[in-house]
Amino acid sequence: MIVTLIVLCEVGFWVLLAAGLATRYLLKMPRAGLALLLCEPLLEVVLLVATAIDLKNGADPSWKHGLAALYIGYTVGHGHRTVKWLDGHAAHRLGGGPRPPKPPQYGKARARYEGRIWLGTLVGGAVATVLLLAAMAYVGGDGDTSSLKAWMYGAWRAVGIHGVIALSYVIWPRKAPAGSGEAVPAARAEGARAGEEPAGEARAGEERASALAARDPQHVPDLAVRRPGKDEEQV
């Protein structure tokens, strides 16, 4: 029953998400669409209550209850980000809004982005651990809780592996290719912090100034023209 309910909750998550976005942007009913999106957490509450009732009725703790705890934890940790991402794309494609910005690809911005995603995994692991510990305490020392402990260890292994991946973007940040559009803004920002003008823009400014003086010398300011010396005035 628990596995079937997990599948139904996953299907219900996407059905409610699609219905909420369609109501919000196609039917032009933002409040009704928001109400549907806010019903998403109720699915996790239903799954949690069903798992507790199953244990109360004498069911032995198994991998099904551990899977339910991890599913709830994942939804708490990453559900909001998923809904927000899909809402931005729906607003662009269905509501005529601006295109959502793409995730950063290089440098510290990419490292911060990966760190935020890892925090969602950390929250999910913490929530799953709390639920699994509550289930083990509910069963007591007489029941076999080894499967629940295995799921708890598996959750923290996933958190650790994801943390190592996120940390790799800090230790070895990806550098933008020389000809990419992201390399120029980075160099410009560093030059601005140092109080310097980028070399390319400085050279362009010198070329514009020299071209103006050579093409239209009559427009050169008087201060830029050297005054004649005494010998030249006598001649």
Side-chain angles (χ1 to χ4, degrees), residues 196-218:
E196 300 175 355
E197 185 179 7
E201 296 184 2
R203 286 195 299 269
E206 293 175 358
E207 292 175 359
R208 287 194 297 270
S210 61
L212 177 62
R215 185 173 61 252
D216 299 318
Q218 67 274 16

Side-chain angles (χ1 to χ4, degrees), residues 5-62:
L5 192 56
I6 293 174
V7 174
L8 291 177
C9 285
E10 180 66 13
V11 173
F13 173 85
W14 293 104
V15 169
L16 278 177
L17 183 58
L21 295 177
T23 304
R24 192 172 186 179
Y25 296 108
L26 291 180
L27 301 180
K28 307 299 181 182
M29 301 170 63
R31 292 185 178 180
L34 180 61
L36 288 174
L37 293 177
L38 291 177
C39 291
E40 298 279 5
L42 295 178
L43 298 174
E44 281 65 51
V45 174
V46 171
L47 180 59
L48 179 61
V49 172
T51 304
I53 292 175
D54 190 48
L55 291 173
K56 183 179 179 180
N57 291 335
D60 294 330
S62 64

Side-chain angles (χ1 to χ4, degrees), residues 145-158:
T145 59
S146 58
S147 61
L148 300 182
K149 292 179 181 178
W151 278 99
M152 186 167 59
Y153 297 148
W156 286 106
R157 279 197 299 269

Side-chain angles (χ1 to χ4, degrees), residues 118 149 152 162 165 224:
W118 176 77
K149 292 179 181 178
M152 186 167 59
H162 192 180
I165 295 174

